[in-house]
């Protein structure tokens, strides 16, 4: 084993890491809120506790939910001020004090420090199989947070039947690209909303959507949904919240399901400034179920998901588009890019270019 | 059998009935929208189809959901213009062309014309057992729409554990009075909101609530809920919607459930004028499930409900407060009274005083 790992003989590193300097109650987080600092980290074998490993981080997953941990709200998932922030990442074991892992192993860490190095318990990790045919960035995309989120939203909570009418917002985003493909694999009719004509083209041509619309052009969402869903909406995977969610509630069918994956249009506002949804009463007569979800609650189903997704990737049934930003220093701009409609697909930071 | 029924020898009656004269897009329905008319109805045996019975209506259940059928919205449950409106009622069989029913039987009809008489298929009816110890008004209250709604909301969708923190709005209303008692029977801590200090006293002393508050006085709902739920809310049975629902979403615990029974604060407004709920994003992190329900979808569980509720009533574990308004002509004011905080408990119209 060993491979690249063995060549690293550092016993102490200058470790660059992102930390929460100040909460961002509203707006896109800036360099006032998230700062990069350098801290010494000992990688000497005797400074690593038993059952722990030292990792050199390779890729970090940049996902919208991170924003919700930076607002300083009463939500207990807030990052602590002055502390390193964490995300889903992938790294190489460079020291091991645990029998399960060897130097050189590639591992996935669902909550790793956004840093160049870290020392972590083996309990947090899952080994990456280099013979799986899955690429490293795929491992934090289709096989990571967005793929799993799309799977929980569509397969577990949305559970559409063949022929069901499925709507997905932020359809060209990381979750949206998988959600559309998973719904198509179930035989549904799938429509997406996204932020440009090019992206509408992309979701149709690459991600299997039957059709889609550009919400910057079709500003009357109600009219757009009436046109795209003459038979109503059975499942809506909500990634945006606000006005789009409200418009959907005017077109839901009986017993429609609305898994709430995230609400990217709402993250950067304090809650009293958010767009109120005025027609929740429609949920009564139509007996709609709306349900928020976090992936941690579905970890017992990760194996089932990973098996299905790996098969889809191998069979070419699920495609991925990834934007890889280079260098740990690119994390802040990568995060901000999620909120500006400038991305397509999954945003990943490659820690060392 | 026969009893009172046999004495009625009318072959044609002047039948007073309420019909939908015009839709009420907003506001409390008035005499412009609902009108009483007299129509001849033949009760001659040969004018009643096989499998049908003629009923003399005794009591009509007046429930808030009726309002949602009077707005002229796209919702297919709208009453038809010019047609008689319907509600849950109880009547006496005065002619029978069906083997199951005899003259004099008392029957429950979940969707009967709001009229003095009707001719209806036996399929719609359920026989009332005069030896059950349940009173006729109870049969359309605890054993009818509000009791069943409270049961579905608490037992099926809310499903609180012993010790769970349960909140019920419109707690002194027909659904609220049962919801509190059912949640207490499950060993929960139950708090209610209602419209006067007297009603707060009532829900504590009569309906088993641990405590409650007057939402006319405690206008900062957020502050009130923080005080009454220091450990958060696990189940909220929503009968009002709007600002109260929004405030609840600031205090929900992880995996909280919000069965939406109705939204009485919102029925009388066109949807664009309704109070928007701005903090649905909280549903994501807390993984809240919000679900609208209509009783028709739970009819397969009615037997289970009726058995449990009948036992509770016999054992004195569930109490009812009923407001009986006299005469079919009182229906309109009875309906309007649901929206003015003037009632306590269940509103019923006794068709003939």
């Amino acid at each position: 084993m060993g491979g690249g790992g063995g060549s690293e003989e550092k016993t102490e590193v200058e470790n660059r890491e992102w930390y929460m300097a100040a909460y961002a109650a509203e707006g896109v987080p800036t360099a006032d809120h998230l700062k990069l600092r350098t801290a010494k980290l000992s990688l000497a074998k005797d400074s690593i506790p038993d059952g722990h490993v030292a990792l050199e981080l390779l890729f970090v997953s940049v996902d919208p939910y991170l924003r919700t941990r930076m607002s300083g709200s009463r939500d207990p998932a807030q990052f602590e001020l002055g502390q390193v922030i964490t995300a889903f990442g992938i790294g190489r074991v460079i020291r091991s004090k645990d029998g399960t892992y060897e130097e050189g192993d590639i591992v996935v860490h669902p909550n790793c420090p956004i840093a160049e190095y870290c020392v972590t318990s083996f309990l947090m990790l899952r080994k990456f199989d280099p013979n799986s045919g899955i690429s490293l960035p795929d491992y934090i995309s289709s096989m990571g947070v967005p793929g799993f989120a799309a799977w929980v939203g569509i397969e577990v909570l949305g559970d559409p039947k063949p022929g069901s009418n499925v709507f997905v917002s932020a359809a060209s985003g990381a979750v949206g690209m998988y959600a559309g493909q998973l719904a198509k694999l179930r035989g549904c009719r799938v429509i997406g909303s996204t932020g440009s004509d090019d992206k509408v083209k992309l979701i149709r041509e690459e991600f299997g959507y039957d059709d889609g619309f550009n919400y910057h052009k079709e500003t009357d969402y109600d009219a757009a949904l009436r046109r795209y869903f003459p038979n109503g909406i059975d499942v809506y995977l909500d990634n945006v919240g606000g006005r789009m969610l409200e418009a959907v509630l005017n077109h839901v069918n009986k017993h429609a399901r609305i898994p709430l994956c995230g609400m990217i249009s709402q993250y950067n506002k304090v809650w009293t400034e958010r767009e109120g949804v005025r027609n929740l009463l429609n949920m009564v007569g139509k007996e709609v179920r709306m349900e928020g979800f976090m992936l941690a609650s579905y970890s017992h189903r990760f194996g089932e998901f990973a098996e299905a997704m790996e098969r889809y990737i191998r069979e070419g049934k699920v495609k991925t588009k990834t934007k890889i930003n280079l260098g740990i220093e690119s994390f802040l701009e990568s995060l901000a890019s999620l909120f500006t409609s400038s991305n397509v697909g999954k945003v990943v930071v490659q820690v060392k270019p």
Side-chain angles (χ1 to χ4, degrees), chain A:
Chain A
M1 298 280 103
S7 64
E8 318 249 355
E9 291 305 332
K10 298 158 184 164
T11 53
E12 187 175 80
V13 286
E14 297 284 323
N15 188 25
R16 286 189 298 167
E17 58 186 25
W18 284 95
Y19 72 102
M20 193 88 243
Y23 289 127
E26 54 191 311
V28 176
T30 67
D32 289 338
H33 311 108
L34 291 169
K35 292 183 192 290
L36 192 63
R37 69 183 170 202
T38 301
K40 287 187 197 306
L41 179 69
S42 171
L43 300 179
K45 205 130 186 178
D46 56 10
S47 67
I48 296 172
D50 285 342
H52 282 59
V53 301
L55 298 181
E56 174 183 46
L57 278 308
L58 303 174
F59 292 97
V60 168
S61 176
V62 185
D63 298 289
Y65 79 90
L66 292 170
R67 174 67 186 91
T68 65
R69 306 185 63 182
M70 300 175 179
S71 65
S73 74
R74 284 182 294 188
D75 175 350
Q78 298 308 295
F79 291 125
E80 298 235 0
L81 285 180
Q83 299 297 311
V84 176
I85 62 173
T86 60
F88 194 96
I90 192 161
R92 180 191 292 119
V93 176
I94 56 174
R95 302 279 186 280
S96 179
K97 289 281 280 287
D98 173 70
T100 320
Y101 295 96
E102 293 183 335
E103 290 178 19
D105 281 353
I106 304 294
V107 293
V108 172
H109 187 325
N111 201 31
C112 73
I114 300 177
E116 292 172 294
Y117 299 92
C118 72
V119 173
T120 190
S121 161
F122 80 101
L123 289 170
M124 300 298 292
L125 306 175
R126 209 172 61 243
K127 210 178 289 196
F128 173 79
D129 174 6
N131 301 316
S132 66
I134 313 289
S135 73
L136 284 186
D138 247 347
Y139 224 78
I140 53 175
S141 183
S142 49
M143 301 286 290
V145 170
F148 192 31
W151 187 84
V152 171
I154 296 293
E155 300 281 328
V156 181
L157 298 177
D159 195 23
K161 309 283 163 282
S164 285
N165 286 287
V166 175
F167 180 52
V168 177
S169 52
S172 65
V175 174
M177 72 178 159
Y178 298 123
Q181 296 178 84
L182 290 172
K184 283 312 292 179
L185 285 167
R186 280 198 157 210
C188 305
R189 181 172 166 274
V190 193
I191 306 293
S193 67
T194 184
S196 75
D197 291 348
D198 283 348
K199 290 181 182 179
V200 171
K201 191 164 178 285
L202 180 83
I203 65 171
R204 276 201 308 238
E205 295 179 359
E206 296 289 320
F207 304 146
Y209 280 81
D210 292 288
D211 212 338
F213 64 92
N214 173 355
Y215 69 89
H216 287 305
K217 269 191 182 167
E218 302 245 23
T219 52
D220 183 347
Y221 300 164
D222 206 55
L225 292 174
R226 186 171 307 128
R227 218 168 59 244
Y228 285 99
F229 291 99
N231 299 314
I233 295 171
D234 299 302
V235 171
Y236 170 46
L237 181 64
D238 184 23
N239 289 302
V240 304
R243 280 182 53 222
M244 189 66 83
L245 175 56
E246 185 177 84
V248 166
L249 286 173
N250 287 334
H251 297 275
V252 280
N253 288 333
K254 194 86 176 172
H255 295 292
R257 288 166 302 285
I258 304 183
L260 303 176
C261 181
M263 296 191 176
I264 205 164
S265 75
Q266 308 294 301
Y267 287 159
N268 297 316
K269 302 172 187 172
V270 294
W271 78 266
T272 48
E273 299 299 317
R274 289 183 187 143
E275 290 161 352
V277 172
R278 295 165 292 179
N279 54 357
L280 291 173
L281 179 56
N282 295 357
M283 291 179 65
V284 180
K286 294 292 177 62
E287 303 188 76
V288 174
R289 177 186 288 184
M290 187 185 281
E291 185 162 2
F293 68 98
M294 301 287 278
L295 296 183
S297 296
Y298 297 86
S299 53
H300 59 292
R301 305 218 31 198
F302 188 87
E304 184 187 342
F305 151 72
E307 196 180 324
M309 186 57 95
E310 219 176 291
R311 195 176 62 244
Y312 292 145
I313 295 169
R314 275 212 212 87
E315 295 171 355
K317 287 179 177 162
V318 165
K319 292 183 201 165
T320 288
K321 213 169 162 65
T322 310
K323 171 82 172 76
I324 299 180
N325 292 325
L326 299 180
I328 192 166
E329 61 276 15
S330 71
F331 174 76
L332 178 58
E333 63 193 276
S334 299
L335 180 68
S337 76
L338 300 178
F339 300 100
T340 57
S341 282
S342 61
N343 288 302
V344 160
K346 173 65 187 149
V347 177
V348 162
V349 166
Q350 185 172 347
V351 177
K352 282 185 189 152

